[in-house]
């Protein structure tokens, strides 16, 4: 009966930032684990770098995930790529994500764009 419920209700499994319990969030490793565990989609966040590259990160300040207090929008992508997460992966761009999964038609993503607030005087 549970199987019928699952297949007829239209529920979708979304890995929030991949599988952050088993790998650093929003890394290819985390995304791969989420898909291998049955996620239909992986949700990722995007910030724009100083040179306009869409960078995968929930936080605008990379302190929590890289140990370096760097604001994504204040640095060019080449500089952001020198920062690494706990599993050794560098910061990734949206283009790199698409290239990584180009041969996996079942890899689907929900992308949340983040916008920095700019205070006007």
């Amino acid at each position: 009966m549970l199987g019928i419920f699952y297949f007829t209700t239209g529920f979708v499994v979304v890995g929030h930032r991949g599988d952050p319990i088993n790998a650093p969030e929003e890394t290819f490793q985390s995304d791969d684990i989420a898909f291998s565990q049955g996620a239909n989609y992986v949700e990722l966040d995007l910030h724009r770098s100083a040179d306009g590259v869409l960078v995968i990160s929930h936080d605008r300040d990379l302190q929590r995930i890289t140990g370096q207090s760097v604001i994504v929008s204040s640095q060019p992508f080449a500089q952001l790529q020198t920062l690494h997460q706990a599993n050794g992966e560098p910061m990734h761009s949206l283009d790199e994500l698409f290239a990584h999964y180009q041969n996996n038609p079942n890899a689907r993503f929900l992308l949340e764009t983040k916008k920095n607030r700019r205070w006007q005087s």
Side-chain angles (χ1 to χ4, degrees), residues 28-56:
F28 294 159
Q29 179 186 22
S30 181
D31 301 344
D32 289 343
I33 293 171
F35 287 129
S36 73
Q37 295 295 321
N40 302 106
Y41 291 84
V42 165
E43 179 271 342
L44 300 172
D45 305 282
L46 301 170
H47 284 273
R48 193 172 176 186
S49 67
D51 54 349
V53 175
L54 293 175
V55 179
I56 300 169

Side-chain angles (χ1 to χ4, degrees), residues 43-111:
E43 179 271 342
L44 300 172
D45 305 282
L46 301 170
H47 284 273
R48 193 172 176 186
S49 67
D51 54 349
V53 175
L54 293 175
V55 179
I56 300 169
S57 176
H58 177 266
D59 302 345
R60 66 187 277 282
D61 185 335
L62 301 177
Q63 175 69 44
R64 182 176 62 85
I65 59 173
T66 68
Q68 302 285 328
S69 184
V70 174
I71 306 299
V72 174
S73 62
S74 70
Q75 298 294 318
F77 183 63
Q79 180 64 33
L80 297 171
Q81 272 195 308
T82 66
L83 305 175
H84 292 85
Q85 297 198 45
N87 67 350
E89 284 187 44
M91 299 304 299
H92 296 297
S93 70
L94 184 60
D95 286 343
E96 290 173 331
L97 177 80
F98 291 154
H100 182 79
Y101 288 101
Q102 69 182 349
N103 295 321
N104 183 349
N106 295 319
R108 296 183 176 123
F109 298 92
L110 297 172
L111 303 173

